[in-house]
């Protein structure tokens, strides 16, 4: 179906596909909602594209479009930033409660029902600051997804509020086959299973969803398939999703020239991101072992301390007052970026980290005298001067 489109329609389909990858639950009143009309117009081509290339199911309605992606499995780097495990538990409990609460409810009743459901599920509920923050984060997440609407008041649990439930979106939120799962572990496993084409869909999903795919992190059959199909996959990813790939001995990097598909930016402007970037040269200075550089935690703490001392006003005091915490945050950021992995004796940094090593333009402390050039004439001079 894609091959029969005009150049303009094909470009629009690629734009819609990229939007759905970035916004799997696309709403008319949400981010990028203005593209929903275009998605609806090309819904049949998009449904065929996602089914063939990634094994994903796409539901398109007038009010929303829902792309059912595969779950991340045991990979915990793909979660919502700032959401704790208890917050995730409250998301699940809230969704369960909302199925029988009706179109509108008071916040106090919703919170009471959620905590009752937690007790019924065997989760200890302690009404303290940590618990309230986790519950508020869960409710905020459902507000951001459009499932909950703050009709009067807010869900910050400071005052009473009237909450409206979008039951249509609530029914579209879950992607895992809950009815087939006999346990939590089984649900995670089923949600992450490969598509109908097995290895092909499994590897292509990794290329689309992750910036770096290393052969060392793939099962043997998937690594072998990717080595054989590198060139074909590069053409496919560029044609359908606007991604450009770089193939190396260690694996494949998929880059988005527009940075639209990126939900975690590196380098970044935060204290942790900048210190992680400046620490990379020393972290990759040791000889690699099987394509990865061993990272000694004490070395990272020492690098962080030196950077904080050299540029004391450049960083947030929230992190610089605790160097151990700063080192943990740096390693966690690199892990979420797919650049660092835990090992038995510490951490290993992937060779892909070399791509981000900063190169200074010059030494700002060094003043170089520039020769003075005296122009021989001016545009404002007369021709005979």
């Amino acid at each position: 179906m894609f091959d029969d489109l005009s150049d303009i329609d094909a470009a629009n389909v690629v734009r819609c596909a990229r939007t759905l990858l970035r916004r799997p639950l696309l709403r008319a009143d949400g981010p990028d909602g203005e593209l929903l009309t275009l998605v609806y117009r090309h819904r049949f081509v998009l449904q065929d594209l996602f089914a063939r290339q990634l094994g994903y199911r796409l539901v398109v309605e007038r009010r929303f479009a829902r792309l059912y992606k595969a779950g991340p499995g045991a990979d915990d780097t793909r979660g919502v930033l700032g959401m704790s495990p208890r917050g995730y538990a409250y998301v699940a409990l809230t969704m369960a409660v909302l199925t029988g609460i009706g179109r509108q409810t008071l916040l106090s009743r919703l919170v009471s029902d959620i905590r009752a459901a937690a007790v019924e599920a065997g989760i200890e509920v302690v009404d303290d600051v940590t618990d309230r923050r986790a519950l508020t984060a869960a409710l905020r997440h459902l507000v951001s997804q459009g499932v909950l609407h703050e009709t009067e008041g807010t869900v910050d649990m400071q005052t009473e509020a009237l909450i409206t439930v979008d039951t249509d979106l609530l029914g579209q939120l879950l992607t895992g086959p809950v009815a087939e799962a006999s346990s939590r572990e089984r649900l995670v496993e089923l949600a992450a299973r490969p598509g109908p084409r097995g290895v092909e869909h499994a590897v292509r999903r990794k290329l689309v969803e992750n910036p770096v795919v290393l052969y060392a992190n793939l099962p043997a059959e998937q690594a072998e398939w990717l080595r054989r199909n590198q060139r074909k996959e590069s053409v496919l990813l560029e044609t359908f999703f606007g991604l450009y790939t770089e193939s190396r001995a260690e694996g494949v990097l998929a880059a988005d020239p527009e940075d639209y598909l990126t939900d975690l930016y590196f380098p970044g402007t935060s204290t942790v991101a900048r210190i992680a970037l400046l620490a990379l040269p020393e972290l990759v200075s040791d000889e690699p072992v099987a394509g990865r550089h061993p990272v000694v935690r004490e070395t990272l703490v020492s690098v962080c301390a030196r950077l904080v001392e050299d540029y004391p006003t450049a960083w947030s005091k929230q992190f610089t007052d605790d160097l151990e915490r700063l080192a943990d945050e740096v390693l966690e950021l690199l892990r979420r970026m797919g650049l660092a992995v835990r090992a038995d004796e510490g951490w290993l940094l992937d060779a892909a980290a070399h791509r981000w090593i900063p190169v200074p333009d010059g030494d700002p402390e060094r003043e170089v005298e520039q020769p003075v050039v005296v122009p021989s004439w001016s545009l404002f001079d007369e021709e005979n001067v």
Side-chain angles (χ1 to χ4, degrees):
M1 296 176 68
F2 186 86
D3 296 334
D4 298 332
L5 298 175
S6 66
D7 291 343
I8 294 178
D9 285 339
N12 284 332
V13 167
V14 172
R15 184 185 179 192
C16 291
R18 287 166 54 82
T19 301
L20 288 167
L21 286 175
R22 182 70 176 87
R23 314 280 185 196
L25 182 55
L26 183 66
R27 314 186 323 271
D29 60 345
D32 296 318
E34 68 277 1
L35 291 180
L36 185 58
T37 302
L38 197 60
V39 170
Y40 189 84
R41 184 186 307 164
H42 295 292
R43 61 190 181 280
F44 298 119
V45 178
L46 288 165
Q47 287 169 341
D48 180 72
L49 186 154
F50 280 113
R52 287 176 179 270
Q53 305 304 334
L54 297 172
Y56 288 166
R57 181 167 67 94
L58 174 63
V59 175
V60 182
E61 302 288 347
R62 292 285 186 181
R63 293 178 52 244
F64 65 86
R66 178 61 161 124
L67 179 64
Y68 286 86
K69 293 185 178 184
D75 182 9
D76 64 344
T77 64
R78 299 289 305 283
V80 179
L81 288 176
M83 183 76 75
S84 65
R86 193 169 188 85
Y88 276 110
Y90 274 132
V91 169
L93 291 168
T94 303
M95 292 175 61
V97 168
L98 291 176
T99 57
I101 210 167
R103 289 277 183 175
Q104 283 191 328
T105 182
L106 292 174
L107 177 62
S108 57
R109 180 193 167 189
L110 177 59
V111 170
S112 177
D113 289 349
I114 292 170
R115 286 176 171 163
V119 173
E120 185 179 348
I123 300 174
E124 182 181 0
V125 176
V126 180
D127 187 14
D128 56 10
V129 174
T130 302
D131 185 80
R132 287 194 293 272
R133 284 178 179 172
L135 180 51
T136 301
L139 296 176
R140 281 281 172 212
H141 178 65
L142 293 175
V143 169
S144 71
Q145 296 300 309
V147 174
L148 297 181
H149 294 271
E150 298 165 311
T151 305
E152 293 182 15
T154 63
V155 296
D156 59 7
M157 296 197 294
Q158 298 297 323
T159 58
E160 185 63 281
L162 179 63
I163 307 299
T164 301
V165 183
D166 190 325
T167 54
D168 293 332
L169 285 183
L170 176 63
Q172 300 288 339
L173 204 57
L174 282 178
T175 61
V178 178
E180 302 177 33
S182 56
S183 65
R184 294 168 296 182
E185 294 75 16
R186 181 59 175 163
L187 177 59
V188 172
E189 180 184 344
L190 291 175
R193 59 189 171 185
R197 296 185 183 178
V199 172
E200 177 183 342
H201 279 162
V203 176
R204 193 172 296 146
R205 288 173 179 178
K206 287 185 173 69
L207 292 171
V208 170
E209 303 289 352
N210 300 279
V212 179
V213 177
L214 300 175
Y215 296 123
N217 295 339
L218 295 176
E221 57 178 359
Q222 293 185 13
E224 178 60 27
W225 185 91
L226 182 55
R227 286 191 176 94
R228 293 198 316 266
N229 295 277
Q230 278 183 10
R231 187 169 300 178
K232 184 187 75 172
E233 290 302 299
S234 296
V235 174
L236 185 148
L237 293 181
E238 182 179 352
T239 301
F240 295 123
F241 306 111
L243 294 172
Y244 294 87
T245 61
E246 297 179 13
S247 299
R248 297 289 186 268
E250 298 83 7
V252 177
L253 179 144
D256 177 16
E258 298 179 8
D259 282 340
Y260 174 75
L261 294 179
T262 301
D263 57 354
L264 182 63
Y265 292 92
F266 184 76
T269 58
S270 68
T271 292
V272 174
R274 287 182 292 150
I275 285 186
L277 181 69
L278 294 175
L280 282 181
E282 292 197 40
L283 297 183
V284 299
S285 59
D286 293 336
E287 287 297 321
V289 178
R292 285 173 169 160
H293 298 273
V295 176
V296 180
R297 180 182 171 78
E298 289 74 16
T299 301
L300 176 58
V301 174
S302 175
V303 172
C304 291
R306 191 184 70 248
L307 290 171
V308 170
E309 182 180 357
D310 290 346
Y311 311 98
T313 62
W315 321 113
S316 169
K317 291 291 186 182
Q318 177 185 2
F319 297 102
T320 56
D321 290 342
D322 187 348
L323 294 177
E324 293 291 336
R325 179 193 172 191
L326 179 59
D328 288 337
E329 294 285 346
V330 167
L331 289 172
E332 177 62 17
L333 174 61
L334 295 175
R335 186 182 75 90
R336 291 180 66 88
M337 284 296 301
L339 298 176
V341 293
R342 294 182 185 273
D344 294 336
E345 299 180 358
W347 289 81
L348 296 175
L349 199 62
D350 289 328
H354 284 271
R355 182 183 181 89
W356 285 274
I357 292 181
V359 178
D361 295 331
D363 188 352
E365 301 296 331
R366 186 179 174 188
E367 294 184 1
V368 180
E369 258 187 55
Q370 299 293 335
V372 178
V373 178
V374 180
S376 59
W377 62 282
S378 168
L379 293 175
F380 297 100
D381 291 339
E382 297 179 3
E383 291 185 4
N384 59 356
V385 176

